[in-house]
Structure formats: C-alpha cells, structure tokens
Amino acid sequence: MLKAKSRWQLATYDEQRSEEIARECQIPLLLARLLVIRGFDTPERASSFLHVGEDQFHDPFLLDGMEQAVARIRAAIDRKEAICIYGDYDADGVSSTTLMIHLLRQLGATFNHYIPNRFTEGYGLNRDALEQIHRQGYKLIVTVDTGISAVEQAAYAQALGLDMIITDHHEPPELLPEALAVINPKKPGCTYPFDMLAGVGVAFKLAHGLLGEPPLHLADLAAIGTIADLVPLVDENRLLAIYGLRQLNQTRNVGLKSLIRVCGLTERELTAGHVGFAIGPRINAGGRLDTAEAAVRLLTATDPQEADHWARTLDEMNRERQELVQSIAEEAETIVREQFPPDKNAVLVLAAPGWNVGVVGIVASRMVEKFYRPTIILSIDEEKGTAKGSARSIAGFDMYEALSACKEWLMHYGGHTMAAGMTLEVGKIDALRERLNQLAAEWLSEEDFIPQTKVDLEVTLEQLDLDVIAQLERLAPFGMGNPTPLVMLRDVSFAEMRRIGRDDSHLKCLLCAGDQQLDAVGFNLAHVTEQIAPGARLKVLGELAVNEWNGRRKPQLLIRDLAVPHRQVFDWRGMSGKLQKWLSLAESDDTLTVMFEETSRQELLTIWGADVSRNNGLQPALLLVEETDFVPDLTRYRTLVLYDLPKRRVDLERVMAGADHIERIYCLFGDTNTSFDQLHFPSRQQFKELYQVFYRYGEVHKGHLDALARKQQWKRALLDKMLAVFVELSIILDRETHYQLHPRPPKTSLESSKLYRMWKEQTDLHADLILSSCESLTKLLNQTVAKAAVQEATTV
C-alpha cells in the first residue's frame, strides 16, 4: 500500500446533460463532461465559455460609482487638472497602476503616480502621502487595487480638498470610506454581475467606461494582474486572461518585451503558467525587496535600453527574493518543529525579528504546503514593538472572518478568505495565536487537515490520445476557478521506472493497462521508485499534456499524486547490500523486523549499534519468533521486514495472523550464498539406496561418510540428515565411530519420523519462499494473511 498525499474527491456530473452538450456543441463527450463539472451545464453556457467575444464584457456602468468616476476624470482632463494614480506594490497593484498610466497617456491627461513603500509606509493610503500629494498641487486621486478600507484616510483627503475615486476589489468593511466614487464589485448594493475581478480588472473596467469600448490594447497588463492575483479565471477574468495572453504573445509594450526576454520565454507560446510562475514573480520582486518603482518604470518604458535595464534589475531582485524566501522558510520550519508542532497547533502563528515583510506571504504559503495548517508569518519590528505579516489559509478556514473575530488585538488587517495581511502589537501575538486555534477547533474537523484534491474525471488509457488533449486545451487558460483538468487512472501498473533530471529527483515511467501504454512524468517523485513493488496496481492522478521531442508528439501524463490501494510485497531476496537495505527500513518507527534465528537478531543489533549516525540512541523494532504459541501484536506497525527464513509454516502463519493491516512486506531472506541444494529434499529412492548400503555392509565408518556421499552424488549435509532420520526410526544405530544397521529394524514409514516431517515441511516452505517468482511470493504471503484472518474470525 502507498497512500496518496491528499484526499481525492471525484467530481460528479449529469451524464444526460453532458451528452446533450456534446451533441449540440459538436464536441467530445469528455470535454462536455468537464464543462458540466465546471458549471457550464447547458449548450448555451458551454458555447459561451468555449467561444469568447468582446460582446461578453459587461457594461462598465453597471458598477456603482462608475458614472461619477468617468465624469470627474473627463472633467479633470478637460480642465488640465493633475491626476494622481495611487497604487499598490504587488503585481496586481503594479499592473493596475501601469494600465492607468497608459490609459491617461492615451487620453492626454496631466498625471503622475504614487505607490507607497512597503517597508516605510505599509499597505494602502496614508496621511503623509496624501499631504504630499496635496502639496504638489493635485486635485484628484484615483486609487487602484487599494482604498476600500481607508475610511480615516479618505476623510483626511476630503479635509485637504482632494477629490478621491477609489477602485478596489478587496473585501469591503462594514463602514465604507467617504469618496467621490467608490468602485468595487463586492460593495454592498452593487448590482454588477461579476464580483471576482482583480484590482487590475476594476481598473480595466474604468478604462472601458472612459473609452466607450473594452481597451483590448491594454489586456496584456490586465492579464498579468488577474493571473498573478489568483482570482478565478471565469467570466470577465477569463476574457481578460484570453485577450491578455493573445496581446502578450504579440505585445508592443517595450518593457514586457524585455521582461519576456529576461525570463527566457521569447520563443515560447506564453500561457497563464508563464505569467504566474515567471513574469508575475519578477514584477512582484521590486515591491517585496525595495519599492515597486522598478516594475512601473519597466512596464511604462518607451526606450528599449531603459527597459532592458529595469528587466535585468527585477530579474536580479527575483533571485535575491528566492534566496530570502528559502532562508526564512527554513527558520520558520525550525520554529514549527521545536515550538509549535502541527499535531498540537491547528493554526501556525510564527514571528521573528528581521524577517523581510515583503516575502512573508510567500513563506506562509510554503508553510501551508509543508504542514497544511492555516499560517501567519509575522516580522517583528523591535523598535516599534509591532509585528506585521501575512496569512495563508486552507479550505474550511476563512482567514478574513477569523481575523475579524480577533480585531480587538489587530491594529490593521484586511484580505480574503484564503489570504490576509495584518499589523499588531508584539504583546498580542500569543493572544492571537490562542484565539485562532480556538476558532480552528470550532470550525475544522480532523479530516479538514488532510489536503483535498478535486478530481475531474476517471478515464482509461484507451480514451487518451493527442486529439483528446487538444480538445481539452479549449478550456484554457487554466488557473484559479478553472484549474487544469485532473484525471484519474485506476488499476494501472508502472513499467520502465527510472530517475531523471539533473539531481535524479524526477520520475519517468510508462503507465500500462492491458496492451495500452502512456508516457508519464512525475516531478519530484523519484522517491516513489523505491515505494512501488513490481506488479503493484496503482491509482494515478495527473494532468494530460503533449510531449514533443525530435519532432514527435506523444500524449503524456504529468503525475500529481498516486496511490497503491493494496498491500505490497517487495522482493529483495538475495540482493547484495542486505544489511544496508535493512538499515534504511529499520530507522522508521512504523517498521518491525521479524526473524526466526537468534544469530540474525545478534547480527542486526551489532550493525545497528555500529551505525551511530542512524541510531541516535534508539533501538530498532525487532521480533524473534520462537517455537511457542505466542502471536505477536503488530498493531502499531505498517511495514514488516521478513529478515530470515522460518523453520515451520506455523511460525510464518503466527506472524501473519496480525498482519492484515500491514501495508508493506519486505522479503530480505535468502542470502546470495543460498544453495539450491539446501532446498533439496531426498526422494524415497534415495532413502532406499542408503538403506541398501547398510543392508549390504552392515555398518559404515564415520570416516568414510564423505566418500559415501561422493559415490552416491549427494551433498554431505543431505546424507547427515538422512542418517539422522534412520537413527530416529531405529533403522540404524549411532555408534561412537560408525553407524550400524539395527539387528532387527522395525517396520515403519518415513512419515513416522518427526525429523523427516520437520525436514520436509521446512524444505517445502523454503522452496516456496526462495524459488517462487515475485508474483507467486506475493500471492503466498497475501494468502497466508487472509487465511490467518479467516481463522481468527472463525475463532471469535
């Protein structure tokens, strides 16, 4: 057995609706099923999803406040009033700011922009910035991706005589700021049909309102913020991503061209993945380590040399950011293990001085991936006595709601269900941690702490080909709300498993079912090559892709998770390095090593004691099975190692009687020097021939036994055991110097000899265990477990 990393939840769908959509839209049934699963459950909805058009953009004036905002901005342009764009320092905020810069350039406005410094000013509007903007003569401020919680700041701006238009997408508080216009699709009372726009999406709608048509020439910027901010790629976000990626692949934006080149993507067809994992992080890097000004200058550059400079600057910052994240993540992980173990902390609240507040959100995400606990990472400012940080959550724990329940300890906070930011006094951290853990105890069950993976469809290998994969691409771009389809294959086997990659950390294999095969790759899954036994039947979860190599195109599965739902038997019989293999297994506390010889136990204790680097003062779990009726308790173990050979079948059965729950059995018995002659049991004819020797000569001197063995072409050990059987049956007598035929040998059968019976049983058992194929060995051990379970049930 090999457990999956997460709980797989297979989606359900209406097959009748799927067939109707497939028929009406003339698409494959597999694609129709995926559309139904995603909520596009009528031919009209499915067609609208698959065939996008400009007419699908909503009327921007359905957004509450849009009419006032458009009128005020037009008036400012007409009167040559200076407009200040007030943005944010993340990728969404930067793309929102630059989109507005390009828009106001196009409209001939007088304007400039302002993005606060994450480290000296923090998130959002602040009084000092507003006062500075006022002194510089601005009359109108347009915020992008910020401002919905700025009640006090908006009042201060109003007192200064500044008009303010707030455009934002974050969760509105109970009390909204007083401004000339507040545009937010989440705002109470707003009837806009789609409320999941990113900040740049709201800015795009403002541009739509000002221009009278969707500004598709700015869609590349809109796509970057939309994808990087992880909003659901449905409805208008899907439109922005599709049109934006088209624009990005042929962009005229000088800065984007330089950035794409720095990312090494010049010759690639850009996808949402490239934006999310290459372009977005570099735009984010400036605001995380210094200011967002480098990113704004890049995306608004008109000179190629200047653009190249800023692109290289952001690339270097991104590398520095990666190193910083790794360092802080290692520190945070140490704190978790030493102070706040996950089994005792449902929510992780970690704080330390000096952590860079620009990357704590990324570190929080790392901790959620590692421990699957809602996590807050706080950087402590020792001079101010405050802590500032970011939170990331898991399904079932609404982080914004949780922080709202703790607002008495928070100086500032804001965010979404899955992510948030906050500032608080250092002395309130313990209280926050305690309260969040209380909320988790109330809101979450044990099952909630096991990651859940939503699976779209169960498929078979014969259903998968290049045409099907091409059809599935019609669902792209993939991201939040429209994930890459995950398919499950059941009852497949692995063939040609091997490690690949620079550090051999990736898995390459073939998935097989009958005569069907499919190439598969598992990134960072090379370790499973040692956890999957030959002949295992697997369940595999993955994403379909096309592998292109030397001009050939083949279907391929990118493995995301896998499981072996049955007990596995690992055939390590006769392998070299037996002791080292045992050491690698024995260091796990769920492993029990079973042996039937005292010499084996002494051997293992000796090698364990000699390996100081492994043992750490602990002892391996060893069980010596002796000839008693004792049945061992295997309850706490999941892995069983059979180190040497049992003498009796009943001894093996007694061990297996408690092994019904065992997930892995490793067979290390059968040394490389095991002779097949040792597994030979003499025939009746051989016993007859030995008797005839004594009948003819009357006695055999013990010094002549080697010669007798050679003459009969028997091994000496075989001859000795046959003699012992005859002695037990009183057919011959064991004298000091010789063996002698009994004067009146009894009439008896070989089977009446206990030695004969034990010898035959042991030889048959060892032959079954040593000479059997891997498949037969697996069958034998599983049947032994099943037989023991039936006997136990019958007894009960």
Side-chain angles (χ1 to χ4, degrees):
M1 184 174 290
L2 178 63
K3 292 183 178 178
K5 294 182 294 185
S6 63
R7 293 176 289 145
W8 300 359
Q9 183 181 32
L10 186 61
T12 58
Y13 55 87
D14 187 318
E15 182 67 3
Q16 189 173 352
R17 285 180 179 267
S18 302
E19 291 173 354
E20 179 188 5
I21 290 172
R23 183 175 59 254
E24 295 292 328
C25 298
Q26 297 184 341
I27 59 176
L29 183 58
L30 201 65
L31 178 58
R33 288 169 177 162
L34 287 168
L35 286 165
V36 171
I37 288 168
R38 280 159 168 70
F40 307 101
D41 53 2
T42 67
E44 293 74 25
R45 290 175 182 168
S47 180
S48 177
F49 185 84
L50 294 174
H51 305 96
V52 300
E54 289 184 45
D55 60 331
Q56 293 177 353
F57 282 104
H58 303 305
D59 181 352
F61 291 96
L62 293 175
L63 280 161
D64 186 54
M66 183 63 73
E67 287 188 13
Q68 297 90 327
V70 167
R72 181 64 182 88
I73 292 171
R74 283 176 176 165
I77 294 172
D78 291 341
R79 295 196 293 260
K80 304 296 184 184
E81 288 179 1
I83 303 171
C84 182
I85 306 163
Y86 197 109
D88 186 29
Y89 36 67
D90 67 1
D92 187 17
V94 168
S95 58
S96 302
T97 302
T98 53
L99 185 148
M100 288 300 298
I101 289 173
H102 285 286
L103 172 69
L104 294 181
R105 274 181 186 172
Q106 180 181 345
L107 294 174
T110 302
F111 68 93
N112 208 331
H113 69 277
Y114 187 93
I115 296 179
N117 184 295
R118 183 194 295 262
F119 303 97
T120 59
E121 298 174 81
Y123 171 78
L125 295 157
N126 66 83
R127 292 170 68 102
D128 289 344
L130 292 172
E131 190 171 334
Q132 178 183 332
I133 291 168
H134 176 255
R135 284 200 309 269
Q136 292 173 352
Y138 291 93
K139 299 294 185 183
L140 175 62
I141 295 176
V142 179
T143 76
V144 286
D145 192 34
T146 189
I148 195 62
S149 299
V151 175
E152 295 179 8
Q153 293 83 353
Y156 183 69
Q158 195 173 47
L160 291 174
L162 290 168
D163 285 342
M164 184 177 292
I165 296 170
I166 293 174
T167 74
D168 201 352
H169 73 119
H170 294 96
E171 294 292 337
E174 293 180 9
L175 181 63
L176 295 177
E178 290 286 339
L180 179 77
V182 177
I183 303 175
N184 184 332
K186 294 186 177 73
K187 189 173 72 171
C190 181
T191 58
Y192 196 70
F194 183 62
D195 67 354
M196 291 184 282
L197 290 168
V200 73
V202 181
F204 184 91
K205 297 309 297 184
L206 178 57
H208 186 175
L210 284 163
L211 295 175
E213 62 182 6
L216 297 183
H217 61 294
L218 301 176
D220 46 8
L221 296 171
I224 291 171
T226 296
I227 294 168
D229 211 50
L230 301 179
V231 291
L233 295 186
V234 296
D235 204 286
E236 277 192 310
N237 289 338
R238 175 172 169 80
L239 297 177
L240 292 175
I242 288 176
Y243 282 109
L245 288 170
R246 289 177 187 171
Q247 182 73 13
L248 200 57
N249 277 291
Q250 55 186 16
T251 187
R252 295 181 180 179
N253 185 300
V254 174
L256 282 175
K257 285 183 178 180
S258 294
L259 186 57
I260 291 167
R261 189 162 48 250
V262 162
C263 293
L265 299 173
T266 305
E267 303 300 322
R268 305 287 292 273
E269 178 75 16
L270 298 179
T271 67
H274 294 128
V275 173
F277 295 103
I279 295 172
R282 286 168 172 82
I283 292 174
N284 258 325
R288 292 190 184 282
L289 299 185
D290 188 15
T291 73
E293 193 60 30
V296 174
R297 292 200 179 190
L298 170 70
L299 298 181
T300 57
T302 55
D303 178 65
Q305 288 186 332
E306 180 189 358
D308 285 345
H309 164 73
W310 292 118
R312 287 193 299 271
T313 298
L314 289 175
D315 189 51
E316 291 167 5
M317 283 184 169
N318 190 51
R319 279 196 290 270
E320 184 181 345
R321 187 270 305 168
Q322 290 171 331
E323 294 171 0
L324 194 58
V325 167
Q326 182 63 26
S327 173
I328 297 175
E330 289 174 358
E331 291 180 35
E333 189 173 333
T334 299
I335 292 173
V336 171
R337 298 193 187 283
E338 293 181 355
Q339 300 179 37
F340 307 106
D343 59 339
K344 296 180 181 177
N345 289 267
V347 180
L348 301 176
V349 180
L350 313 175
W355 283 350
N356 187 304
V357 295
V359 301
V360 290
I362 302 175
V363 176
S365 295
R366 291 273 187 95
M367 296 302 101
V368 172
E369 291 174 10
K370 183 78 175 179
F371 301 108
Y372 203 68
R373 295 289 187 275
T375 301
I376 295 177
I377 301 292
L378 296 164
S379 175
I380 294 175
D381 186 326
E382 294 179 300
E383 289 185 9
K384 296 180 179 178
T386 60
K388 182 178 181 180
S390 292
R392 297 294 183 269
S393 196
I394 64 175
F397 192 82
D398 188 324
M399 185 58 76
Y400 184 80
E401 185 179 344
L403 291 177
S404 297
C406 303
K407 59 185 178 183
E408 61 189 282
W409 299 305
L410 302 175
M411 299 164 64
H412 307 288
Y413 74 97
H416 309 288
T417 299
M418 300 298 287
M422 76 293 298
T423 303
L424 69 159
E425 295 175 9
V426 173
K428 303 293 178 60
I429 293 175
D430 290 341
L432 176 66
R433 180 185 296 112
E434 183 178 352
R435 179 61 179 140
L436 289 175
N437 273 278
Q438 288 174 356
L439 292 173
E442 296 170 11
W443 295 354
L444 300 174
S445 66
E446 282 189 26
E447 194 176 61
D448 289 323
F449 293 107
I450 303 173
Q452 187 177 82
T453 301
K454 294 183 178 179
V455 184
D456 289 287
L457 294 171
E458 181 175 343
V459 297
T460 61
L461 289 182
E462 62 186 1
Q463 291 178 288
L464 306 179
D465 56 32
L466 290 173
D467 290 338
V468 167
I469 295 173
Q471 287 289 337
L472 297 187
E473 279 298 314
R474 297 179 65 183
L475 298 174
F478 301 115
M480 293 295 291
N482 183 39
T484 303
L486 273 179
V487 299
M488 181 179 75
L489 291 158
R490 191 189 300 272
D491 202 29
V492 296
S493 60
F494 275 11
E496 301 180 17
M497 277 195 298
R498 65 182 188 274
R499 294 171 176 262
I500 61 171
R502 187 179 305 170
D503 54 357
D504 285 340
S505 62
H506 309 310
L507 168 69
K508 174 76 172 173
C509 65
L510 281 178
L511 300 179
C512 306
D515 59 354
Q516 300 290 322
Q517 293 184 335
L518 178 68
D519 285 345
V521 173
F523 294 105
N524 297 313
L525 286 176
H527 61 279
V528 305
T529 58
E530 298 172 358
Q531 298 174 11
I532 298 175
R537 310 302 297 176
L538 295 98
K539 293 197 301 182
V540 181
L541 196 63
E543 300 171 7
L544 293 169
V546 176
N547 181 27
E548 299 190 35
W549 181 254
N550 289 336
R552 294 184 61 194
R553 290 165 52 85
K554 295 176 65 177
Q556 180 176 264
L557 189 78
L558 304 179
I559 300 174
R560 296 301 180 219
D561 203 358
L562 52 84
V564 179
H566 59 81
R567 184 183 304 109
Q568 295 191 90
V569 175
F570 292 84
D571 184 4
W572 289 7
R573 294 173 295 180
M575 281 191 176
S576 58
K578 176 176 178 176
L579 288 172
Q580 288 304 313
K581 288 184 178 297
W582 174 77
L583 282 170
S584 69
L585 296 172
E587 61 186 2
S588 173
D589 59 8
D590 73 347
T591 298
L592 174 67
T593 302
V594 176
M595 65 222 70
F596 303 90
E597 300 281 355
E598 172 62 26
T599 53
S600 296
R601 192 176 77 89
Q602 293 300 326
E603 177 183 50
L604 297 183
L605 287 174
T606 300
I607 192 67
W608 182 266
D611 197 340
V612 179
S613 63
R614 282 183 189 268
N615 63 49
N616 198 27
L618 302 175
Q619 288 295 319
L622 304 179
L623 173 65
L624 177 63
V625 179
E626 299 175 307
E627 294 186 10
T628 68
D629 293 332
F630 168 72
V631 177
D633 181 8
L634 310 183
T635 308
R636 56 171 292 205
Y637 304 105
R638 293 291 176 269
T639 300
L640 196 64
V641 178
L642 300 179
Y643 188 78
D644 56 18
L645 289 164
K647 295 184 177 69
R648 305 182 304 165
R649 198 172 296 270
V650 68
D651 294 331
L652 180 63
E653 290 174 351
R654 281 194 291 115
V655 172
M656 294 303 175
D660 190 48
H661 67 287
I662 291 293
E663 298 172 2
R664 296 166 295 275
I665 300 176
Y666 288 85
C667 298
L668 269 68
F669 49 74
D671 295 331
T672 51
N673 61 353
T674 298
S675 169
F676 286 104
D677 292 314
Q678 292 176 258
L679 306 176
H680 175 67
F681 187 75
S683 65
R684 290 182 176 276
Q685 179 62 30
Q686 288 175 306
F687 274 104
K688 182 179 180 181
E689 291 170 3
L690 180 59
Y691 179 79
Q692 288 174 340
V693 169
F694 280 93
Y695 185 79
R696 180 177 180 183
Y697 297 105
E699 63 181 41
V700 175
H701 196 279
K702 291 182 177 179
H704 298 155
L705 291 177
D706 284 338
L708 175 60
R710 286 195 298 271
K711 181 180 179 181
Q712 299 297 127
Q713 297 183 340
W714 299 338
K715 291 292 183 180
R716 172 62 188 270
L718 182 74
L719 174 59
D720 288 340
K721 288 185 177 181
M722 293 171 68
L723 290 169
V725 170
F726 277 176
V727 169
E728 183 191 7
L729 293 173
S730 298
I731 294 174
I732 61 174
L733 302 173
D734 184 359
R735 304 301 188 188
E736 184 176 350
T737 60
H738 61 279
Y739 289 101
Q740 176 185 347
L741 181 65
H742 195 287
R744 290 182 297 278
K747 290 184 177 182
T748 186
S749 65
L750 291 171
E751 286 76 9
S752 60
S753 164
K754 182 179 178 182
L755 285 176
Y756 178 91
R757 295 193 306 272
M758 290 178 59
W759 184 13
K760 187 174 191 313
E761 179 189 6
Q762 180 176 318
T763 304
D764 289 346
L765 176 59
H766 288 188
D768 286 344
L769 294 174
I770 294 295
L771 302 181
S772 57
S773 65
C774 178
E775 183 179 357
S776 297
L777 176 65
T778 300
K779 184 177 180 180
L780 169 66
L781 293 176
N782 282 328
Q783 285 178 341
T784 305
V785 173
K787 176 183 175 183
V790 170
Q791 289 176 341
E792 183 179 358
T794 304
T795 303
V796 174

